[in-house]
Amino acid sequence: MKYTQLGRTGLKVSRLVLGTMNFGPQTDEADSHAIMDAALAAGINYFDTANVYGWGADKGRTEEIIGSWFAKGGERRDKVVLATKVYGNMAAEGDAWPNHDKLSALNIRRAVDASLKRLRTDHIDIYQFHHVDRSTPFEEIWQAIDTLVQQGKILYVGSSNFPGYKIAQANEIAARRGGTIGLVSEQCLYNLAERRAEMEVIPAAQDYGLGVIPWSPLHGGLLGGVLKKEIQGGRRAGGRAADTLADPAGRAQVQAYEDLLDKHGIEPGEAALAWLLTRPGITGPIVGPRTAEQLDSALRAVELELSQELLTGLDEIFPGPGPSPEAFAW
């Protein structure tokens, strides 16, 4: 495994991030534990989750599965850089209660304590805001975070799904308050098929020293050889991948992508991950394996070297927006 610093911090993290969203809803506890053991054995030390994972009536279930894995001992917790998120309402569906979601000081305090209990740990390494809260000022958010840092319950703070201007706003207010390091990472939707983050989010993250953690690196399976799997009778595409394939132009684009990688003898999913690892400012993509085999495929991507010819071909098929502000200004 290869490692890098998380943004401007001294924290060293693996270039693949183990996403746990499938633990519980699609992968049972025993198999989830096996995947985490395999990830740790392969050198992945950065594990990502969220308090709402498990979804529906099972919100929090994913954190519980990670907590039961930590409880097995063997230095599991000590070796892991643990990241979780706060924002979503944790109440049962249809039973939302005021102040049980978003980023008020009250909810942050409540959510941290609940996550710590489910995760069976005394601290969270990277506590992430899952979304922008337009109703809560950053002065209040940072005051709550400072208290938690002083209490030893969290170490660093990151954002997820923030636009560039909110990254700037959050860190400028943190700097004015003093004594607060501010955001150190941003999780955003970023992959070959979805490159809008290059216009504002990634430049802002780089300027403020945030590590960028792309989520959905295969764009919902679209970049994982979806057409080949379709022919072979495999799992049908859904969500973003299905929407793209329903458009003839989008389908032709994906076919050109798979044909190019077939020419180079590289698996599409591994190439999509390897491409992200070549991008400026990227710490490492989140991979969310449902099975041990999917984890093995992701691990191969770390060692994959993409030729300049292939990188050029990928840019031709999936062109980015270009540098900011020229991409939209001139």
Side-chain angles (χ1 to χ4, degrees):
M1 180 52 59
K2 297 177 182 178
Y3 300 89
T4 189
Q5 305 299 123
L6 180 63
R8 66 188 185 281
T9 76
L11 189 65
K12 191 171 290 187
V13 294
S14 51
R15 298 224 61 200
L16 285 183
V17 181
L18 182 68
T20 62
M21 188 170 65
N22 290 319
F23 295 175
Q26 297 193 47
T27 308
D28 65 24
E29 184 166 346
D31 287 344
S32 298
H33 284 192
I35 290 172
M36 287 187 280
D37 279 334
L40 200 61
I44 296 177
N45 73 337
Y46 194 170
F47 287 22
D48 178 78
T49 191
N51 59 353
V52 294
Y53 289 173
W55 310 111
D58 292 322
K59 291 174 185 174
R61 178 59 183 145
T62 302
E63 286 188 333
E64 291 175 347
I65 288 173
I66 296 170
S68 64
W69 181 73
F70 285 150
K72 290 182 173 181
E75 297 185 324
R76 285 175 171 83
R77 177 65 188 96
D78 198 46
K79 292 179 177 179
V80 166
V81 174
L82 175 63
T84 192
K85 308 183 192 76
V86 57
Y87 181 86
N89 199 302
M90 293 298 290
E93 297 298 326
D95 191 28
W97 191 255
N99 303 311
H100 277 66
D101 65 355
K102 300 186 179 178
L103 303 178
S104 69
L106 177 58
N107 188 56
I108 287 175
R109 175 180 174 178
R110 175 188 293 116
V112 163
D113 287 342
S115 284
L116 289 172
K117 183 177 180 180
R118 287 189 293 266
L119 290 162
R120 302 197 203 183
T121 186
D122 63 353
H123 73 284
I124 294 161
D125 299 308
I126 308 168
Y127 200 50
Q128 301 161 121
F129 308 137
H130 212 162
H131 201 276
V132 168
D133 181 356
R134 296 178 176 88
S135 301
T136 305
F138 277 111
E139 289 84 355
E140 175 182 345
I141 293 170
W142 287 127
Q143 180 175 294
I145 292 299
D146 287 348
T147 298
L148 294 172
V149 171
Q150 290 162 9
Q151 292 173 341
K153 293 182 179 181
I154 64 174
L155 300 182
Y156 302 94
V157 179
S159 57
S160 182
N161 306 306
F162 270 36
Y165 83 96
K166 280 295 181 181
I167 291 173
Q169 184 183 51
N171 275 14
E172 288 298 330
I173 291 174
R176 288 204 298 269
R177 293 186 76 252
T180 299
I181 191 173
L183 300 174
V184 302
S185 64
E186 159 61 17
Q187 283 190 20
C188 60
L189 175 61
Y190 182 47
N191 54 56
L192 269 166
E194 176 49 85
R195 296 179 61 171
R196 285 177 292 179
E198 295 175 4
M199 295 179 72
E200 291 284 354
V201 175
I202 294 174
Q206 287 183 283
D207 279 358
Y208 282 94
L210 279 65
V212 177
I213 316 295
W215 61 265
S216 195
L218 302 188
H219 207 58
L222 184 76
L223 302 171
V226 64
L227 295 179
K228 183 186 297 185
K229 292 174 183 176
E230 190 178 82
I231 293 171
Q232 296 171 348
R235 189 174 180 224
R236 293 186 63 82
R240 288 185 296 274
D243 292 342
T244 300
L245 295 180
D247 173 30
R251 192 178 187 91
Q253 191 178 36
V254 175
Q255 186 65 68
Y257 165 73
E258 293 192 14
D259 289 345
L260 174 65
L261 294 173
D262 188 54
K263 172 185 172 183
H264 285 265
I266 300 175
E267 290 297 318
E270 295 170 21
L273 291 173
W275 177 82
L276 282 169
L277 293 172
T278 71
R279 305 303 298 165
I282 301 303
T283 300
I286 298 174
V287 296
R290 295 187 306 276
T291 65
E293 290 75 22
Q294 290 177 344
L295 176 61
D296 289 340
S297 176
L299 289 168
R300 288 193 291 272
V302 178
E303 303 301 328
L304 188 59
E305 296 288 339
L306 303 183
S307 68
Q308 187 57 54
E309 177 189 359
L310 178 52
L311 290 170
T312 299
L314 291 171
D315 271 338
E316 290 172 352
I317 295 169
F318 295 111
S324 174
E326 290 84 352
F328 55 84
W330 298 332

